[in-house]
Amino acid sequence: MKKFQSSLVLACSALALASCGGDEIVSPGTSGDINVDITNPAPTPTPTPTPTSSLVTPAAGCPTINSTGGLTDAGTITGPTGTYRVCSLPALFDADDTLPFIAGLLYSLPGRVDIGADRGFSSTGSTVELTIQPGVTVFGGTGRSFLVANRGNQLIANGSATRPIVFTSRDNVLGLSNDSSIGQWGGVVLLGRGRVSDCRAGGINTDAAPNANPQCEQELEGATTTTLFGGANNADNSGSLQYVQIRYSGFSLAPGNELQSLTTGGIGSGTTIRYLQTHNSSDDGMEFFGGAVNIKNVIATGADDDSFDVDTGAQANLQYVIGVQRTGGGDSLIELDSADSASRPVASRPQTVFNVANFTFVQRSSASSQSVRANGGAKLNLINGVIDSDGDPCIRIDDAPTFAADPDYFSVVGDCSATRPNRGGDTAPTDAQVQSDFVADSSANNSGFTISLTGVIVNGTNETGVTATNPTTISSFFDATTYIGAVRNAQDTWYRDWTCNSATVDFGSAAGLCTRIPVYS
């Protein structure tokens, strides 16, 4: 559990408001060997967008790439969908490369795999681009495997609505993952040259001392070599992720030192992220450290900690957002922070700002006491949201500086509990002040709402009747919408076919179950 200091909560027929201290990015490093000549009994395969009539047979060999060392033929691996040729990636991509889709072939991360070398705080342009074609599956060959695009380099992973790119674990390929599996490999990391609030060498920038550290950057912790992110360019481009699943990831070296399914550090608004699903991360579904993060059509299912974690000066805009927890795991749907820890000033700059529009949050964790939690003087804006809290408090504010940052709520509804979570003894601001602020923001806000969602995430009659707010008044990145929630009605199917289905939520996706890798011809 992440530690919090003081807390304040809105309860009763109100909302309850709070957050956790900011974390730093952790890298699991490299270790472990992969033994891919394994044959397991094959259960019945799950139908996929282009199902094969028989089990997959391995490709003849690995394609040629440009990077030093190339791909290594690591034999074959057998799971419920058949037997595949395994091509192990080099530890470093040092030239532009493409991983093509080839039937019967999977790509393996043998440990830490870098896309280019770090190009520094003040560099410009891109040196190495790794492109991954639609339909490709990349799996972590060890529990500590992960893929990192370093500053000044790009990951271009653009799948399609019917052929998503899947990053997953070796156990998933073998058919050993289930709906409770988590933490089977590291994850995907994008690093960039955007601004961060917490400087690794000290000299934190504040309003009183805006240039205390003119080269403020952070460090990817836990790596065997120093790995940095951050810069002065919030328009930086770290690549593109579209129609992508990241499954069963997350690795922890120590409490507070974890990788998420997707971890970003200082990426800029030039980075494209659309149609992304993270599934069953052992930590957060995704965490954004600094930079400028713009995402649409994003889903986090089954995260064991927070679904969406934002801190260390990130300027983040998310629209069309689905977060659904497993009953056996999960903390908050949102964790928001600004300063990295109690030893750093709440007034660290840039201040973290998180804008979320058209979201549906389904709180099911037996371990969590609220859906949204904010701390450290961060600024929160929630627009057109549905919070199915399952009887828990909806929103919690930990401290007076965060309340002073003026969290705003526009057309937000939820079935919020009358019971407050532990507030740590903090009495300012009062519950009445927080409730008054919530009510004053929008006449459409309702913390005693009767949820009528269908299929877990689709608006029902009650949600359809709520007057929406135009989110473009908060950010020009947002689309103008006339409805609340992430899924307008049964005809709105943006979340289907590129996602995977699980016991947590069945999207009706033709890509099949999360416990099986999809098969394409």
Side-chain angles (χ1 to χ4, degrees):
M1 287 284 296
K2 298 177 181 175
K3 301 296 182 181
F4 294 84
Q5 297 189 343
S6 55
S7 61
L8 163 71
V9 180
L10 168 64
C12 296
S13 53
L15 287 157
L17 307 193
S19 166
C20 75
D23 302 321
E24 295 178 351
I25 301 179
V26 176
S27 160
T30 62
S31 68
D33 299 317
I34 177 169
N35 177 4
V36 295
D37 250 339
I38 295 178
T39 302
N40 277 10
T44 302
T46 300
T48 63
T50 53
T52 57
S53 58
S54 59
L55 294 178
V56 172
T57 57
C62 298
T64 300
I65 63 172
N66 300 320
S67 291
T68 303
L71 297 171
T72 301
D73 188 333
T76 60
I77 187 169
T78 299
T81 54
T83 300
Y84 298 82
R85 175 73 53 200
V86 176
C87 297
S88 184
L89 303 183
L92 171 67
F93 284 92
D94 57 8
D96 289 351
D97 263 316
T98 296
L99 301 182
F101 171 80
I102 298 174
L105 186 149
L106 304 175
Y107 298 96
S108 171
L109 300 164
R112 169 173 175 160
V113 173
D114 286 274
I115 302 172
D118 176 39
R119 298 186 58 235
F121 183 93
S122 302
S123 61
T124 59
S126 175
T127 297
V128 175
E129 296 180 4
L130 173 63
T131 299
I132 302 177
Q133 290 187 344
V136 165
T137 293
V138 180
F139 71 91
T142 76
R144 292 173 176 244
S145 296
F146 70 107
L147 179 65
V148 54
N150 288 296
R151 283 188 298 191
N153 305 280
Q154 296 181 348
L155 170 62
I156 311 295
N158 293 331
S160 70
T162 57
R163 296 171 75 93
I165 293 167
V166 176
F167 294 95
T168 191
S169 67
R170 179 172 172 271
D171 279 3
N172 193 193
V173 176
L174 292 170
L176 302 177
S177 301
N178 58 47
D179 285 325
S180 298
S181 297
I182 57 174
Q184 296 179 338
W185 66 293
V188 177
V189 180
L190 300 180
L191 304 180
R193 295 165 291 201
R195 298 178 64 206
V196 298
S197 65
D198 294 359
C199 313
R200 71 184 186 112
I204 303 300
N205 299 318
T206 65
D207 290 340
N211 297 310
N213 188 333
Q215 187 164 307
C216 187
E217 54 190 358
Q218 263 286 11
E219 183 174 346
L220 186 69
E221 294 183 353
T224 55
T225 58
T226 299
T227 306
L228 302 176
F229 64 91
N233 181 15
N234 263 15
D236 194 27
N237 184 350
S238 296
S240 179
L241 301 180
Q242 299 189 73
Y243 296 106
V244 168
Q245 300 173 23
I246 307 176
R247 307 177 179 179
Y248 304 113
S249 58
F251 176 82
S252 177
L253 289 175
N257 289 340
E258 307 96 357
L259 274 182
Q260 287 62 233
S261 282
L262 174 65
T263 305
T264 73
I267 67 170
S269 58
T271 307
T272 300
I273 303 178
R274 303 283 189 278
Y275 299 101
L276 169 70
Q277 179 190 12
T278 69
H279 178 68
N280 279 29
S281 169
S282 65
D283 195 58
D284 301 323
M286 55 200 76
E287 186 161 11
F288 312 118
F289 296 86
V293 181
N294 291 328
I295 305 178
K296 288 178 180 173
N297 305 101
V298 59
I299 298 172
T301 51
D304 209 47
D305 193 9
D306 308 304
S307 298
F308 306 94
D309 197 337
V310 183
D311 47 35
T312 58
Q315 314 294 292
N317 299 302
L318 273 62
Q319 188 174 26
Y320 314 119
V321 183
I322 295 173
V324 186
Q325 295 179 323
R326 290 180 296 119
T327 55
D331 192 1
S332 301
L333 275 298
I334 286 178
E335 180 183 314
L336 177 64
D337 195 13
S338 199
D340 178 63
S341 69
S343 64
R344 299 176 186 264
V346 167
S348 295
R349 292 294 179 263
Q351 175 194 36
T352 305
V353 178
F354 192 23
N355 303 318
V356 190
N358 293 98
F359 64 91
T360 300
F361 290 159
V362 181
Q363 165 83 334
R364 291 294 179 262
S365 172
S366 57
S368 177
S369 56
Q370 67 285 308
S371 295
V372 178
R373 198 169 185 183
N375 182 52
K379 169 65 173 173
L380 175 68
N381 290 309
L382 299 179
I383 312 103
N384 295 340
V386 179
I387 303 176
D388 183 355
S389 70
D390 201 30
D392 281 334
C394 288
I395 303 174
R396 175 178 171 181
I397 300 290
D398 267 7
D399 51 26
T402 306
F403 184 72
D406 189 24
D408 285 318
Y409 320 94
F410 304 102
S411 302
V412 177
V413 302
D415 56 341
C416 309
S417 170
T419 302
R420 299 192 304 265
N422 177 23
R423 301 186 309 163
D426 189 10
T427 58
T430 65
D431 291 341
Q433 287 174 313
V434 177
Q435 169 66 357
S436 177
D437 181 56
F438 175 74
V439 171
D441 283 340
S442 171
S443 61
N445 292 343
N446 185 350
S447 60
F449 189 76
T450 301
I451 300 293
S452 65
L453 296 171
T454 63
V456 182
I457 57 172
V458 179
N459 283 351
T461 302
N462 294 347
E463 291 79 22
T464 301
V466 177
T467 300
T469 298
N470 183 359
T472 64
T473 61
I474 302 299
S475 172
S476 61
F477 172 74
F478 293 142
D479 300 329
T481 52
T482 58
Y483 59 94
I484 69 169
V487 183
R488 182 174 188 171
N489 51 38
Q491 288 70 50
D492 185 4
T493 59
W494 65 261
Y495 55 88
R496 286 188 181 166
D497 294 341
W498 59 274
T499 53
C500 63
N501 307 312
S502 66
T504 300
V505 56
D506 186 343
F507 293 113
S509 175
L513 296 174
C514 300
T515 52
R516 297 290 185 269
I517 60 171
V519 177
Y520 306 101
S521 57

